Amino acid sequence: MKKVSVVSLLLCIILCFGSFAGCAKKNSDVPDGMKLISSDDADYYMYVPDVEGMWRVDRSDKYTSAYYSSGDQTSISTTAFNITKSGVTVESWWEEFRPEIEKTFSDVGEIIEADARIDGVNGKEYKFSGKIGDDEYKYIITAVVKDSYVYFITYTSIPKYYENHLEDLEKVIDTFTFK
């Protein structure tokens, strides 16, 4: 399980060079079957399925993350960073950081791009695989640009469990809201 947390954290560090624009507001409208995992300081609400003992929360000042029970090696995290240049789009952000991904992971597979949305904001989804050492991981990054920030939700899993939690990822993205 530490490998998934380390991999998620590594991916977040690679892609993050900013910080959250916090807002202390409570959300009393937790969607049915979900639990709130983002901190009060985050400028978004992130939820994961409320399955007893399955999705465990891992928070820091820079991102929100949950991993699925020990041994499963699957995680979902949200990261945001401030854009310092004007005119940045999800596509231009991705092209700037894609070389870092390819430097960090060996055997990066084909990157499949599709349109996506987070809380009504148009963005992109990027699916790819890569290795850290001998360990292979599969990723889905769903990203949007909003209010001078790039927000991205990253799904990380080993191939064995990749398909098991795609429905949970869909629920996380569907219930994600900006403050």
Side-chain angles (χ1 to χ4, degrees):
M1 188 61 250
K2 285 186 178 182
K3 287 181 183 180
V4 169
S5 294
V6 169
V7 170
S8 295
L9 180 59
L10 180 61
L11 188 58
C12 290
I13 289 170
I14 290 166
L15 299 175
C16 295
F17 293 105
S19 61
F20 292 117
C23 173
K25 177 180 169 186
K26 294 283 184 189
N27 182 8
S28 60
D29 299 323
V30 175
D32 287 342
M34 304 294 280
K35 66 181 174 182
L36 178 66
I37 68 166
S38 52
S39 72
D40 289 341
D41 293 332
D43 60 351
Y44 57 83
Y45 298 111
M46 180 181 175
Y47 309 92
V48 294
D50 190 9
V51 180
E52 185 66 35
M54 293 296 137
W55 285 104
R56 299 168 192 257
V57 178
D58 180 17
R59 283 190 201 127
S60 85
D61 293 338
K62 302 289 183 199
Y63 69 98
T64 303
S65 180
Y67 63 92
Y68 194 84
S69 73
S70 62
D72 190 302
Q73 299 190 24
T74 300
S75 68
I76 300 173
S77 62
T78 295
T79 309
F81 68 91
N82 187 266
I83 302 169
T84 57
K85 310 184 266 191
S86 64
V88 173
T89 64
V90 171
E91 295 85 356
S92 65
W93 163 79
W94 180 255
E95 287 307 312
E96 184 176 333
F97 290 105
R98 181 178 175 164
E100 293 300 318
I101 290 170
E102 292 171 343
K103 283 185 216 173
T104 302
F105 303 101
S106 63
D107 297 329
V108 174
E110 176 186 6
I111 299 174
I112 299 168
E113 180 181 319
D115 290 334
R117 292 172 66 88
I118 298 176
D119 195 20
V121 179
N122 292 328
K124 292 290 181 183
E125 174 185 86
Y126 303 95
K127 294 181 181 181
F128 62 97
S129 62
K131 286 186 174 183
I132 294 182
D134 292 332
D135 298 318
E136 182 179 359
Y137 295 92
K138 294 180 90 171
Y139 302 92
I140 300 174
I141 297 175
T142 307
V144 299
V145 173
K146 181 180 180 340
D147 298 333
S148 301
Y149 281 81
V150 172
Y151 295 86
F152 57 97
I153 299 170
T154 303
Y155 178 76
T156 305
S157 186
I158 61 172
K160 178 179 179 178
Y161 296 109
Y162 178 78
E163 298 286 331
N164 293 10
H165 306 293
L166 291 176
E167 187 176 306
D168 289 348
L169 173 63
E170 186 176 320
K171 289 177 184 176
V172 169
I173 291 171
D174 287 347
T175 60
F176 187 98
T177 55
F178 295 105
K179 292 182 181 177

